Amino acid sequence: MNYDKVEDTFFEAFEGKYVRALITGPTEKIVKSAAYDSTSTPSAVIGRVEGGVESFLDKDKTPDGRYGAVVQYWLGDDDTEKFAFELSYRLRQDILVKPFTRIFDYSDVDSDENIEMMDIVGHCGDGWEWIVEEYGRKMINVPIAVPDFQIEEKFKINDGIMGGNFWYLCETPEAVLTAGDAIIDAIMEVEGATAPFGVCSAASKPETNYPEIGPTTNHYYCPSLKDRLKDESKVPENVNYIPEIVINAMDVDSMFKALKAGIDAAIDVDGVIGISAGNFGGKLGDKIYNLLDVLK
């Protein structure tokens, strides 16, 4: 692979906590709907839970012999009580309401921290819920109008890494979409990694004139502002689009594999001029990684 298009720059990452879950259902359509709905709002930067779809599983790979989706839910600090509260919205509003769904803990690492699901999800049964032992797990059975929703009694809280990223600089809109599809497909082949924003068209920066609404546009890299910013603009010549791919992962190794898989998928697409990364002088994340080191 020729990496001449890759800029010698760095990206920033930071530690986070995550729950890794398995959603199962009777059809691929229901499982995909639950997985994407429950991970659809990347919001760790404003102190809320964000998620990503890691992969989809065939029926012979799940505890109950049904279609499955492996998902991750992340929080970027140590407030586990807040994590549980925010996570409950995702599970209750986006998965419990889907017909015939179940959720299992899918963590494969040892952890001393757990989230008890009875208080934040199980009590949706209004006191009528009960515990069953099925699929080799302790499951909460929540009686609902399309019987019945089940969720594993406890989920482990794991330590991981968030915010790894790269930009792929494009000349054409076709390159944005073609390379984007290839990148996301490649990342979903990497165990333990997710791209919570998918293809993100709105790179942001820590500084803002409007802190009440959170991160705002990284104006230096907005192609539509190139003429107005003149010499301040950092948009390279012939670049008209700068999509970003953000990676959260179980560990640094998984993050690097996902970043490399994504870059490899994009680098030779027609209209992709270069590869770079978002960085802010250490203001966003305390872990600094060189983009070229990822590709070795």
Side-chain angles (χ1 to χ4, degrees), residues 46 206 208-216:
I46 57 173
T208 176
N209 293 315
Y210 303 95
E212 67 276 7
I213 65 169
T216 49

Side-chain angles (χ1 to χ4, degrees), residues 25-86:
T27 68
E28 290 180 283
K29 184 176 180 179
I30 285 174
V31 167
K32 286 184 176 182
S33 177
Y36 284 122
D37 286 358
S38 68
T39 61
S40 64
T41 308
S43 48
V45 292
I46 57 173
R48 307 198 71 174
V49 165
E50 74 181 26
V53 178
E54 183 180 325
S55 62
F56 294 102
L57 302 183
D58 292 331
K59 292 189 285 186
D60 61 346
K61 299 290 180 61
T62 63
D64 58 358
R66 307 192 305 166
Y67 296 101
V70 181
V71 294
Q72 297 177 13
Y73 304 102
W74 287 81
L75 189 71
D77 61 34
D78 294 324
D79 190 341
T80 55
E81 184 175 344
K82 180 179 181 182
F83 187 14
F85 180 74
E86 292 286 344

Side-chain angles (χ1 to χ4, degrees), residues 228-244:
R228 292 171 64 184
L229 290 175
K230 296 183 172 39
D231 290 343
E232 286 188 275
S233 174
K234 296 181 181 180
V235 178
E237 187 177 355
N238 296 326
V239 170
N240 299 308
Y241 311 90
I242 309 180
E244 179 178 35

Side-chain angles (χ1 to χ4, degrees), residues 93-244:
Q93 299 302 109
D94 298 322
I95 304 175
L96 179 150
V97 297
K98 303 290 193 297
F100 310 115
T101 51
R102 295 188 187 105
I103 316 177
F104 299 91
D105 178 45
Y106 205 64
S107 176
D108 60 355
V109 296
D110 292 329
S111 174
D112 296 329
E113 291 186 288
N114 295 283
I115 296 178
E116 299 276 354
M117 289 295 162
M118 182 63 82
D119 286 344
I120 63 171
V121 178
H123 289 328
C124 286
D126 200 28
W128 296 97
E129 61 280 348
W130 69 93
I131 301 292
V132 296
E133 291 197 23
E134 292 184 288
Y135 320 110
R137 321 283 183 101
K138 283 189 174 181
M139 307 290 291
I140 304 169
N141 196 94
V142 182
I144 55 176
V146 177
D148 262 349
F149 173 75
Q150 291 184 327
I151 184 169
E152 193 162 345
E153 187 180 37
K154 294 180 180 180
F155 281 61
K156 293 177 182 176
I157 300 176
N158 310 289
D159 295 318
I161 187 162
M162 309 179 69
N165 74 84
F166 71 91
W167 296 347
Y168 61 106
L169 284 57
C170 299
E171 186 175 13
T172 65
E174 291 79 14
V176 174
L177 301 178
T178 300
D181 286 345
I183 290 165
I184 299 304
D185 286 346
I187 291 169
M188 290 189 74
E189 294 295 321
V190 178
E191 184 177 6
T194 63
F197 290 84
V199 176
C200 183
S201 61
S204 59
K205 61 184 186 297
E207 303 86 3
T208 176
N209 293 315
Y210 303 95
E212 67 276 7
I213 65 169
T216 49
T217 188
N218 194 340
H219 60 284
Y220 298 110
Y221 293 95
C222 289
S224 61
L225 296 178
K226 193 171 182 178
D227 290 342
R228 292 171 64 184
L229 290 175
K230 296 183 172 39
D231 290 343
E232 286 188 275
S233 174
K234 296 181 181 180
V235 178
E237 187 177 355
N238 296 326
V239 170
N240 299 308
Y241 311 90
I242 309 180
E244 179 178 35

